[in-house]
Amino acid sequence: MSGPGFLLSVWPWRAAAYLLTGAVTGVAALVGIVTLAVVCGALAIVLVGLPLLVLVALSGIPVAWVERSRLRLIDHHPAAGRHQVPPAPGLWAWVTTRLREQGTWRELGYALLLAGLLWPVDALAITVALLFPLSMVATPLLMATVGDGHEAKVLKQWTVTTWPGAFGVAVLGLLLMGLGAYVLGAAAGARAELARLLIASREGELNAKVVELARSRARLVNAFEAERRRIERDLHDGAQQRLVALTLILGLARLDAPPGPLADQLTKAHEEAGEALAELRGLIQGIYPKVLTDYGLQAAIADAADRCVVPVDVDLELPGRPTEAVESAAYFVICEALANVAKHSGADRAQVSGGHRDGRLFLEVRDDGCGGADPSAGSGLTGLADRVSVLDGRLALTSPPDGPTLLRVEFPCELTKAGDRSA
């Protein structure tokens, strides 16, 4: 509005359209809400109208949707609705979700405000800032048509009987239209700001959105872990068993074959099958170790420590089992840490310790190596740190030059008894 080209731009007309459609929407909201209330009150005698009162409570939702659509007339980035996603499909879940959230009641309040107060203000602004000046501009036309060239009513308040007077009123109307354009712009801006204030998301709804996002993230992590276990079972019970059978068949054929080229080929095939079986077992172990599923985190870490080329002392006491997602993430963090110890630290010995205290699972990996580990330099711990953060955990690494190196990971979780959780 402060620019020199405002009067010649489309913005005054867009502001007028916003206020005009606001008046129309307000009248429609008034008629709709009053009609619903009267019908529900009349039917309340036979107890049918009481459930229909829910429609009155939800009437603000379509009104708010129309208002957000109308904001596009004067705002390229209008406020969006922040309603929660129902936890289940169906009308009942949708209705109960809407009745519990604050946005529904705030939109109902806005609908009542629009129906009772705002639309008359919109209509008054349009009338004073646009319709009155337009009727003044049309005075010469009215004098030539309705007044037969003799007289014309100006705003139905006074009469103009001369042509110079009619054109003078028209010029005055043009000046008032220029002034009215600024009035329309200011009124439309104020109305739009009020609409954004009342029907846009507030901090409480944003927090609810964050909670729902965290829950969906946890569901995705659980689904990922379930898929890992399914792949591990399919490989263990399917491909691995077939390779074991093939290895046995080749071994028997190798024993029965007479010495010669055929026996040599069978020997080579038997060795290749054995190597393929060993690689498959390593792959299954890396996807999801069976010891973790059957015996829990403590046994799985002890098994990983036994397989590490660096001697590892394990001091871990857990009175129960964490959730599957936490258990899996903790195990793979420890495995990656032990792999880094074996590859890069030059350590003579390492230690894994941990426990559960104050609702948090904590694990530590220490080594007496050369130190200087930097996760930002492409370490495999970077991806694991992201995975830990998904579960609201924390991963910290301390590795000064010349060592020692300490990796600590924490997860917020509660432990359950081993028998309480299905494998």
Side-chain angles (χ1 to χ4, degrees), residues 29 146 196 275-276 287:
V146 179
R196 279 190 290 266
E275 292 179 3
I287 292 176

Side-chain angles (χ1 to χ4, degrees), residues 25-31 33 56-64 67 104-119 198-199:
T25 304
V27 172
L30 176 62
V31 173
I33 293 174
V56 179
L58 299 177
S59 61
I61 295 178
V63 173
E67 287 296 286
T104 300
W105 301 103
R106 191 167 68 249
E107 290 174 352
L108 175 61
Y110 178 81
L112 295 175
L113 184 64
L114 175 66
L117 177 63
L118 295 182
W119 78 263
L198 295 180
I199 63 177

Side-chain angles (χ1 to χ4, degrees), residues 232-421:
E232 182 271 334
R233 286 195 302 268
D234 290 346
L235 291 175
H236 183 274
D237 299 336
Q240 179 176 256
Q241 299 305 319
R242 289 182 178 274
L243 274 176
V244 169
L246 177 61
T247 303
L248 291 175
I249 293 173
L250 289 174
L252 292 174
R254 175 185 173 186
L255 294 175
D256 294 338
L262 179 59
D264 295 340
Q265 293 296 325
L266 287 174
T267 300
K268 184 176 180 181
H270 185 249
E271 293 174 353
E272 290 290 338
E275 292 179 3
L277 181 60
E279 291 180 1
L280 181 61
R281 284 172 175 166
L283 177 62
I284 294 173
Q285 183 76 15
I287 292 176
Y288 205 94
K290 191 170 181 61
V291 64
L292 180 62
T293 302
D294 295 341
Y295 301 103
L297 182 61
Q298 189 170 344
I301 289 179
D303 178 69
D306 290 339
R307 290 184 283 108
C308 184
V309 297
V310 176
V312 180
D313 299 323
V314 179
D315 180 15
L316 177 61
E317 291 292 336
L318 295 177
R321 297 186 65 173
T323 62
E324 294 177 351
V326 170
E327 194 173 64
S328 174
Y331 171 78
F332 285 108
V333 167
I334 297 301
C335 288
E336 182 67 28
L338 293 179
N340 286 341
V341 169
K343 292 178 183 178
H344 309 297
S345 69
D348 296 324
R349 201 162 195 87
Q351 180 184 21
V352 177
S353 60
H356 184 269
R357 185 174 59 248
D358 299 330
R360 300 185 73 85
L361 170 69
F362 63 94
L363 299 168
E364 293 182 351
V365 179
R366 303 172 184 266
D367 69 72
D368 56 1
C370 60
D374 184 8
S376 63
S379 169
L381 291 177
T382 304
L384 292 178
D386 295 336
R387 186 173 181 180
V388 169
S389 66
V390 167
L391 299 170
D392 293 328
R394 295 183 297 179
L395 187 147
L397 177 65
T398 302
S399 183
D402 300 327
T405 297
L406 171 63
L407 174 74
R408 181 181 178 89
V409 61
E410 294 184 3
F411 295 94
C413 70
E414 296 297 334
L415 300 184
T416 60
K417 294 181 180 180
D420 295 340
R421 202 185 77 182

